[in-house]
Amino acid sequence: MSEDKRTKLSNLIFYIALTIELVLMIAEKSEISLHDCESMVFKCTFALTVLAVIIMKHGKREWIAIGVIAAFTFICWRFFSGKNELLRFSMFMIAARDIDLKKVMKYIFYVSLAGFALIALLSVVGVLGNIYMITDYGRDNAQELRYVFGFGHPNTLYGCVFALSAMWMWIYGQKSRIISWLLVLAFNVAICLLSKSKTALAICIIMFATGLLVRYWNKIAECRIIYILTALVTPVFCVAFSVWSACVSYIPRYHQEMKCHDFIWRIDELLTNRIHDLYRGNERHAGAIETWKLFSDKMSEETFDMGWVRLFYWYGIIPAVIISLLVILLIYICYKKKDAMTLVIILSLSIYTVVEATFVSRFIGRLFIFPIAAVYLWEFFSRDKIKEERS
């Protein structure tokens, strides 16, 4: 089989796997129960991505790299965490080597947009899901009304809008006029107000402020300092804050005998008890620093909101550190490519993950950044020698 035919076939298989993952993700965002079929679907898409990788043409160095990655993620799964996400994610990203990135991102955007719109429509017409929910969201109001539009939780609703907005910025942001930017921003603000999410509103403002800066200041992509500052925020500050949160989570919520306790209380108040819940959210204190391990174990399955903490807790310190280093490498690649818009997406996504765990998930469909990261990392590592060896 010629290399061109290999590429077309592997890309077709990749699109099939991606479509299945996107449909599963959309269904999971609604109030449809999928617990009985999730595992089977994951196995199916994993098999498809492995098949795509096998069909692709690789040089000797690439096969060695693929073997090392597969062995490491397999060991993490079988001997430690019992979670196969790292293996599935790595195979998915390897299978994305030869994709047309722009087309794939547009495909993810429009499939997600259609799916999310359908969820909202079914809710509004009364077929599936609630338009709003009245309950206690942990903010001292037992009868708080927040809109969900079929997504089950107001934070889930905005998480979907955030993902769509980030994809729109990456695909169309550099060429769109100010009116388009303002319309997308207005929609984000409206959803934030309807879902009553103050944290989402703050992250929304950060994302659009930095995005507009990149859009209308052409020289900023050449400024080295913005890449350095982004690397300091993510993953350095995001990880440092998450580690600190895990360390102080044992302190009682209203224990204010010392100034430092008062400071922790104020930060936790802004995060609506997220730090407190790391220790007191369940009997095992899942998420608190004493539950972190070099490699996670099969008992560590609890969920909580702080995404970076969940990353370290679910998969272990060593895998999470490797992921953090890959984020730094991705920022360096953005610097080499003078790609400031991707930098904005990385920054916004990382800050969002400090307080929400939407993107620390077993659902590949949620992780719209994967195709971008996959192509950029392959371009970086596939230097001339590797390309020559493949040909």
Side-chain angles (χ1 to χ4, degrees), residues 60-303:
K60 182 179 178 181
R61 290 181 180 84
E62 283 182 315
W63 278 122
I64 292 173
I66 292 169
V68 170
I69 293 169
F72 176 76
T73 53
F74 179 83
I75 290 170
C76 289
W77 163 42
R78 293 297 294 174
F79 297 100
F80 293 104
S81 70
K83 303 176 186 66
N84 61 14
E85 288 94 279
L86 297 181
L87 179 59
R88 290 174 46 239
F89 294 168
S90 60
M91 286 299 111
F92 179 85
M93 294 178 71
I94 293 169
R97 186 193 70 186
D98 298 326
I99 62 172
D100 184 322
L101 182 56
K102 202 82 170 182
K103 288 183 179 179
V104 168
M105 290 303 294
K106 286 182 178 180
Y107 182 75
I108 296 172
F109 175 75
Y110 285 110
V111 171
S112 299
L113 178 61
F116 296 156
L118 180 61
I119 292 173
L121 177 62
L122 292 176
S123 169
V124 170
V125 299
V127 175
L128 180 67
N130 300 313
I131 298 176
Y132 60 85
M133 292 182 67
I134 301 175
T135 187
D136 185 357
Y137 292 95
R139 302 196 290 196
D140 299 326
N141 183 357
Q143 296 296 314
E144 185 176 10
L145 185 151
R146 300 173 69 182
Y147 285 87
V148 296
F149 292 109
F151 288 88
H153 194 281
N155 292 344
T156 304
L157 169 62
Y158 182 73
C160 295
V161 173
F162 171 86
L164 289 173
S165 302
M167 284 188 279
W168 178 86
M169 287 172 59
W170 192 90
I171 298 167
Y172 300 111
Q174 286 285 19
K175 296 181 179 179
S176 295
R177 296 181 179 181
I178 187 65
I179 185 65
S180 299
W181 277 87
L182 292 178
L183 287 173
V184 177
L185 173 60
F187 181 69
N188 272 259
V189 172
I191 296 299
C192 287
L193 294 176
L194 288 171
S195 63
K196 295 184 180 179
S197 179
K198 297 178 182 178
T199 305
L201 182 60
I203 294 168
C204 164
I205 292 170
I206 291 171
M207 181 170 68
F208 278 89
T210 53
L212 283 166
L213 190 64
V214 169
R215 168 64 179 87
Y216 287 100
W217 184 10
N218 295 330
K219 295 289 185 180
I220 196 171
E222 300 175 6
C223 298
R224 182 186 300 179
I225 187 64
I226 67 165
Y227 301 94
I228 295 173
L229 290 175
T230 301
L232 290 175
V233 173
T234 173
V236 176
F237 173 77
C238 292
V239 170
F241 179 80
S242 299
V243 171
W244 174 81
S245 299
C247 288
V248 303
S249 61
Y250 74 93
I251 295 175
R253 181 68 172 79
Y254 298 104
H255 190 135
Q256 302 177 45
E257 295 179 358
M258 300 174 64
K259 289 185 178 180
C260 64
H261 293 166
D262 183 60
F263 174 76
I264 294 168
W265 176 83
R266 292 180 184 277
I267 296 295
D268 199 28
E269 182 75 12
L270 291 173
L271 299 181
T272 57
N273 298 345
R274 282 175 168 84
I275 297 175
H276 175 261
D277 287 344
L278 293 178
Y279 188 85
R280 291 179 169 77
N282 54 75
E283 294 181 357
R284 296 185 66 241
H285 310 307
I289 196 67
E290 61 265 30
T291 64
W292 292 19
K293 302 176 179 66
L294 291 179
F295 291 92
S296 188
D297 56 40
K298 296 177 182 180
M299 297 287 291
S300 302
E301 295 184 342
E302 293 85 354
T303 59

